[in-house]
Amino acid sequence: MDLNTVKTVLQQCELFRGLDESELDLLIGNGQLKQLPRGKILYMKGEPSDDTFCAILSGSVNIVAKDGHVVKDIGRGEVIGEVALSDPNRARTVTVITKDPTEVFEWNVHQIKDKIPGLWKTLLKLAWKKITAYYEE
């Protein structure tokens, strides 16, 4: 995937709306593109988060409950992994499995939170918004 497409998708993410060009360039320069096949476990509930989160660039993933049923299906432009960053134990709170071949852009929060002021606060707000939504479902 070319960098212009990556930038376009990131601009559509709720978390990154409002970032200027230089902040988006910093974000892209400090992340890692990952290509994952269908059925790949991206995050496993209970495992250490390693302080990472990602945005889905293409494809989709399933959020899977302990019993194996799909809680939610999310795709392009969505951010995942941010809830674990707000957890005091820094552990994954759900299992995420690719539904299709999927490309994600992943970051270590410590590499970007000081470079892009306000991102950490926005990330935590997004995490709490998702936690509230999951409890309502």
Side-chain angles (χ1 to χ4, degrees):
M1 181 173 286
D2 68 85
L3 289 180
N4 286 330
T5 304
V6 171
K7 190 179 282 190
T8 299
V9 175
L10 294 181
Q11 288 171 321
Q12 296 168 357
C13 293
E14 181 178 353
L15 177 62
F16 306 125
R17 282 186 205 133
L19 294 183
D20 63 33
E21 261 328 279
S22 64
E23 290 170 324
L24 281 169
D25 290 340
L26 259 171
L27 198 61
I28 291 169
N30 285 278
Q32 177 183 2
L33 180 66
K34 291 186 172 186
Q35 297 178 334
L36 308 164
R38 180 183 189 278
K40 173 79 173 166
I41 295 174
L42 180 58
Y43 298 141
M44 176 67 81
K45 182 177 178 155
E47 75 180 5
S49 72
D50 295 328
D51 296 322
T52 61
F53 71 102
C54 63
I56 301 171
L57 301 177
S58 67
S60 63
V61 299
N62 289 322
I63 308 299
V64 181
K66 267 190 206 181
D67 65 4
H69 83 274
V70 175
V71 175
K72 193 166 188 149
D73 178 24
I74 57 176
R76 182 181 170 130
E78 294 286 335
V79 172
I80 53 177
E82 79 288 353
V83 174
L85 301 177
S86 68
D87 178 57
N89 297 317
R90 296 282 203 256
R92 297 289 176 206
T93 57
V94 295
T95 297
V96 179
I97 301 172
T98 57
K99 180 179 176 183
D100 308 303
T102 301
E103 288 181 294
V104 300
F105 213 81
E106 187 173 61
W107 299 271
N108 181 300
V109 72
H110 298 295
Q111 293 177 341
I112 60 172
K113 76 178 189 179
D114 294 331
K115 295 175 184 175
I116 305 173
L119 183 64
W120 178 244
K121 186 176 180 179
T122 306
L123 188 67
L124 292 176
K125 283 182 184 177
L126 181 60
W128 283 106
K129 181 179 175 182
K130 283 189 179 178
I131 289 169
T132 302
Y134 289 146
Y135 282 123
E136 291 175 358
E137 290 179 355

